[in-house]
Amino acid sequence: MPPKICVLCEKSKAMVKRPKTGQIVCRDCFFYVFETEVHNTIVQSKLFNPGDRVAIGASGGKDSTVLAYVMKTLNERYQYGLELFLLSIDEGITGYRDDSLETVKRNQEQYDMPLKILSYDELYGWTMDAIVSQVGRKNNCTFCGVFRRQALDRGAAMLGVDHIVTGHNADDIAETVLMNIMRGDIARLGRCTAICTQGEDTIRRSKPFKYAYEKEIVMYAHFKKLDYFSTECIYSPDAYRGHARAFLKDLEAARPSAIIDIIHSGEAFEVREEIKATQKIQQTCQRCGYMSSNTLCKACTLLEGLERGMANSGITDKARKKLDAAGPTPDNIRTIPFFKPPSGSPAVTIDVPL
């Protein structure tokens, strides 16, 4: 049986069947269409301006490694005029993050980008290993997610950048839509598909891989022979997201377009005005100055619980009441350094579907 020919160039031997479209293409055409689709997402969503200083959230995993490589490639090919940095957060997970950061350090040399590493221990006085020893593995992802988001903003502020890009792909976003539906989280469901977000007190963030399938990112990394770390977080197997991921994979097996279909459904979702009126107004944390919907941000609440030996107090309202009943906050507990909001353009939310 003769080898199949690429449906795009009609010359070279086909080596890849794209999960996203079903097209059978050669390796070079796959590279071109993958990069061009990311470029089109960037241009149509107007993600950057010439001269922007952009921090790439770098974990050493496949998504962030491919993102760094593609951002460098597109910046040079299309002359975006961006100044690119790598920004890594060290959560303090022995046998996982310490190894993945070695990959990031190699990427720094391979892609010739400045690297900033900010640790939980430096910022919060706690590592994830220490947190898990207190809370166990049931709710540890809550701590990590809250702490990581604020750490990225603080690291970006230290770098003096205008913009953070992360490697969240189409699968990640579809999973988030499903999670918010299952939890009935209307506030997050209304904004989780936005490709670019910025609050009044945060640095602009965007997801250039919003429409890129995870399988295609893996194939791109494989055929490009990129250097990335492939081990999953040792604390993530019990995460709630895992249920949404398993469900999504079953949907994708039956209907490959399910991932993009779910994203488009999320984009079309609208919250009634009377529901919006019940949502909490964003303010700034009285203790650390970071954005919050309460007088204390989630990170400060979680950290106070850890410091006072009531680690789960920030997880539920009931547990928080127990912390309040224990008396006022002691003066000698560790707190997060005060956050100085970056100056820049007004808050925006841009979402232009392809």
Side-chain angles (χ1 to χ4, degrees), residues 71-108:
M71 285 296 300
K72 178 179 175 64
T73 299
L74 298 181
N75 189 40
E76 294 172 353
R77 179 183 300 166
Y78 297 105
Q79 299 181 346
Y80 292 162
L82 306 178
E83 190 174 355
L84 300 175
F85 301 82
L86 296 176
L87 173 59
S88 292
I89 306 302
D90 181 2
E91 301 94 341
I93 303 175
T94 304
Y96 169 67
R97 184 57 72 212
D98 47 357
D99 292 338
S100 70
L101 285 176
E102 293 303 314
T103 304
V104 175
K105 292 172 184 177
R106 293 195 298 271
N107 292 158
Q108 175 193 12

Side-chain angles (χ1 to χ4, degrees), residues 231-249:
T231 303
E232 290 291 330
C233 175
I234 60 175
Y235 296 138
S236 68
D238 298 323
Y240 184 64
R241 178 176 288 273
H243 300 291
R245 179 175 294 124
F247 179 54
L248 182 64
K249 293 305 179 187

